[in-house]
Amino acid sequence: KQEVTQIPAALSVPEGENLVLNCSFTDSAIYNLQWFRQDPGKGLTSLLLIQSSQREQTSGRLNASLDKSSGRSTLYIAASQPGDSATYLCALYNNDMRFGAGTRLTVKP
Amino acid sequence: GAVVSQHPSWVICKSGTSVKIECRSLDFQATTMFWYRQFPKQSLMLMATSNEGSKATYEQGVEKDKFLINHASLTLSTLTVTSAHPEDSSFYICSAGPLLTGSYEQYFGPGTRLTVT
């Protein structure tokens, strides 16, 4: 059974810093990996989707990488802003979707 | 494109009553819909996998007689919480996918917040 771990559980950084969120998984037999953002009390916003055959995806200040051989994915956020404050979830899909526990990010002005 | 809606967005019900939550894919058809539950400050936990026209597959620890899932079409799945209790209060989210086009991406609904008093 797929196990997804996200480190750190919480992160607080000053505005403008570049940061990396980590996601590790135990089963590399996946179709894709998605990074989501969740604001308190809200649903999920999909940030980036990496197909199994891909190594990375970029969208604006976000860059996500996927290394299936090591069971790792990272989400890189450049020039962080207070509006980036949220919980970030990674999830892997292989017939069903398994989520990590999330990283709660706070960007201080 | 690829929008999933949920109705209602929030509901308050009394203990012992039943509540139905709808999940619809508005502009696409999907072979499978998934139901998740999220307790405060916790991540999403998969409850069940639902395929159109088939019985849902429930995750270990999820009572199938309590959480009734009906998947009537390729665009609609419903989750009924029967005889609700306060401990069922949670945020319920559905997702749809893979698409009939073959894309494995999952599309998530906005969630339904259930409060049982």
Side-chain angles (χ1 to χ4, degrees), chain B residues 69-116:
Chain B
I69 293 174
N70 182 274
H71 198 151
S73 72
L74 291 171
T75 61
L76 174 64
S77 176
T78 60
L79 169 69
T80 301
V81 183
T82 63
S83 187
H85 289 109
E87 56 264 32
D88 298 324
S89 298
S90 187
F91 193 50
Y92 293 85
I93 298 179
C94 70
S95 71
L99 277 62
L100 294 185
T101 57
S103 168
Y104 286 105
E105 186 167 357
Q106 288 289 308
Y107 298 93
F108 286 78
T112 296
R113 185 162 303 284
L114 170 64
T115 302
V116 184

Side-chain angles (χ1 to χ4, degrees), chain A residues 70-92:
Chain A
S70 65
R72 295 180 185 275
S73 175
T74 61
L75 178 66
Y76 175 82
I77 303 177
S80 59
Q81 303 172 356
D84 295 331
S85 298
T87 296
Y88 291 81
L89 298 160
C90 73
L92 294 99

Side-chain angles (χ1 to χ4, degrees), chain A residues 1 6 31-32 34 36 38 40-44 46 49 51 89 91 93 95-102 104, chain B residues 32 34 36 38 41-46 49 59 91 93 95 97-98 103-111 113:
Chain A
K1 181 178 175 181
Q6 288 188 246
Y31 288 115
N32 59 54
Q34 269 183 278
F36 296 90
Q38 187 176 30
K42 303 293 185 180
L44 301 178
S46 180
L49 170 72
Q51 301 291 355
L89 298 160
Y93 181 74
N95 297 318
D96 61 36
M97 206 146 192
R98 301 289 168 171
F99 285 81
R104 189 171 64 255
Chain B
T32 308
F34 301 89
Y36 303 84
Q38 185 179 35
K41 298 188 178 181
Q42 296 185 26
S43 191
L44 279 76
M45 296 299 295
L46 179 65
T49 302
E59 294 296 298
F91 193 50
I93 298 179
S95 71
S103 168
Y104 286 105
E105 186 167 357
Q106 288 289 308
Y107 298 93
F108 286 78
R113 185 162 303 284

Side-chain angles (χ1 to χ4, degrees), chain A residues 29-88:
Chain A
I30 60 173
Y31 288 115
N32 59 54
L33 181 149
Q34 269 183 278
W35 282 93
F36 296 90
R37 168 187 173 137
Q38 187 176 30
D39 293 286
K42 303 293 185 180
L44 301 178
T45 300
S46 180
L47 298 174
L48 290 165
L49 170 72
I50 309 178
Q51 301 291 355
S52 177
S53 58
Q54 298 174 324
R55 297 281 292 183
E56 67 175 344
Q57 283 287 319
T58 298
S59 175
R61 294 183 294 109
L62 305 179
N63 176 276
S65 68
L66 174 62
D67 184 346
K68 290 197 304 178
S69 63
S70 65
R72 295 180 185 275
S73 175
T74 61
L75 178 66
Y76 175 82
I77 303 177
S80 59
Q81 303 172 356
D84 295 331
S85 298
T87 296
Y88 291 81

